[in-house]
Amino acid sequence: MSEYKRIDEEQPKEEVKNVAKVRFKADYDITDVLRLWGNWARKNHYLEQRSPSWFNEQPKRYKESCSDDDALLIDSALISLSKTSRQGAEQYEVLKLFYFGQSRTVEEYVASTGMGRKLERLAFDGAVSIISNKDFNKQTKTFIQPLSVVDIAKKMNIDRSKVKLIKEGGENHIVGHLSAITMLTGQRLEILNNIKFI
């Protein structure tokens, strides 16, 4: 009797397709993450120019910040965004103005808020902050003021609906960048342990 060998049928090979775009969906609000990063960046700015009372006298929502490690990850995502394209650079600028703010001298800030030049008070959303004489040096110190969507639209001379779209595009890039870091390295932001998930 002859022997038969069974040959498994070959499975058809799956065709590999290149992915044109990937969209990451975050289970957290990226605006909370960027707000905490902006507060961290302003805090460091005030510490570098030796005017910590400017930071300490702000309302609580401007004092909550992320850790240094988280801030460096977010910084890397923002730098990456600024270097992607002209559109990316525009998104970076809008995010920076909205979450970090615009640098102004104390004199410019006092003049823009309608206060007299000799006043040593700055208004932070209704709360009055007293600046110590030691900190009040108009020539060398700068105050960082986050801008609203309307203020950014005026500064960039574009429609506010366009600013919102630019801002959302930038936020989506940051979500993608941070998700990619987590996928590749397993590194995740520490602030996600304390943030409200959606």
Side-chain angles (χ1 to χ4, degrees):
M1 201 170 176
S2 58
E3 220 175 281
Y4 293 96
K5 283 187 179 177
R6 183 175 173 178
I7 300 172
D8 291 332
E9 291 180 15
E10 285 187 27
Q11 295 291 331
K13 291 183 180 177
E14 287 184 36
E15 189 178 329
V16 178
K17 295 181 180 177
N18 290 332
V19 178
K21 275 190 174 181
V22 176
R23 186 169 284 267
F24 292 96
K25 187 174 181 187
D27 56 354
Y28 57 88
D29 188 351
I30 190 65
T31 60
D32 285 341
V33 171
L34 290 171
R35 177 181 60 82
L36 295 173
W37 165 82
N39 292 350
W40 174 89
R42 277 193 306 281
K43 176 183 179 179
N44 280 288
H45 173 80
Y46 291 137
L47 290 174
E48 281 175 19
Q49 71 175 12
R50 296 188 176 138
S51 52
S53 67
W54 293 14
F55 178 78
N56 294 330
E57 295 295 328
Q58 296 178 105
K60 185 182 175 185
R61 67 185 171 145
Y62 288 136
K63 288 195 272 189
E64 299 169 330
S65 65
C66 58
S67 69
D68 290 347
D69 289 341
D70 283 356
L72 293 175
L73 278 178
I74 297 164
D75 269 349
S76 75
L78 286 161
I79 290 166
S80 155
L81 174 61
S82 72
K83 294 181 178 181
T84 55
S85 63
R86 185 175 169 197
Q87 180 185 14
E90 195 174 49
Q91 290 170 343
Y92 166 79
E93 187 62 26
V94 167
L95 292 180
K96 186 177 138 206
L97 290 170
F98 188 84
Y99 291 106
F100 173 67
Q102 179 180 12
S103 179
R104 307 170 85 179
T105 64
V106 175
E107 190 172 34
E108 288 170 340
Y109 180 77
V110 169
S112 72
T113 56
M115 298 179 187
R117 287 185 176 195
K118 293 182 181 179
L119 288 178
E120 293 186 5
R121 293 177 174 210
L122 296 178
F124 292 91
D125 295 335
V128 175
S129 170
I130 309 290
I131 297 173
S132 69
N133 288 332
K134 186 175 160 187
D135 286 346
F136 196 74
N137 181 346
K138 292 183 271 192
Q139 286 74 34
T140 58
K141 310 289 176 155
T142 56
F143 176 78
I144 306 295
Q145 183 180 18
L147 301 183
S148 67
V149 168
V150 173
D151 292 333
I152 295 169
K154 286 178 187 172
K155 180 178 175 59
M156 297 178 81
N157 201 22
I158 56 175
D159 188 61
R160 91 176 98 165
S161 60
K162 184 164 184 195
V163 172
K164 284 182 182 176
L165 287 173
I166 294 169
K167 179 177 168 283
E168 286 170 13
E171 290 165 348
N172 289 337
H173 177 91
I174 302 302
V175 167
H177 187 94
L178 296 175
S179 298
I181 287 174
T182 302
M183 280 176 32
L184 295 170
T185 66
Q187 193 173 12
R188 194 167 189 250
L189 294 174
E190 293 169 22
I191 49 176
L192 298 183
N193 300 328
N194 307 318
I195 218 165
K196 190 190 285 185
F197 285 80
I198 51 176

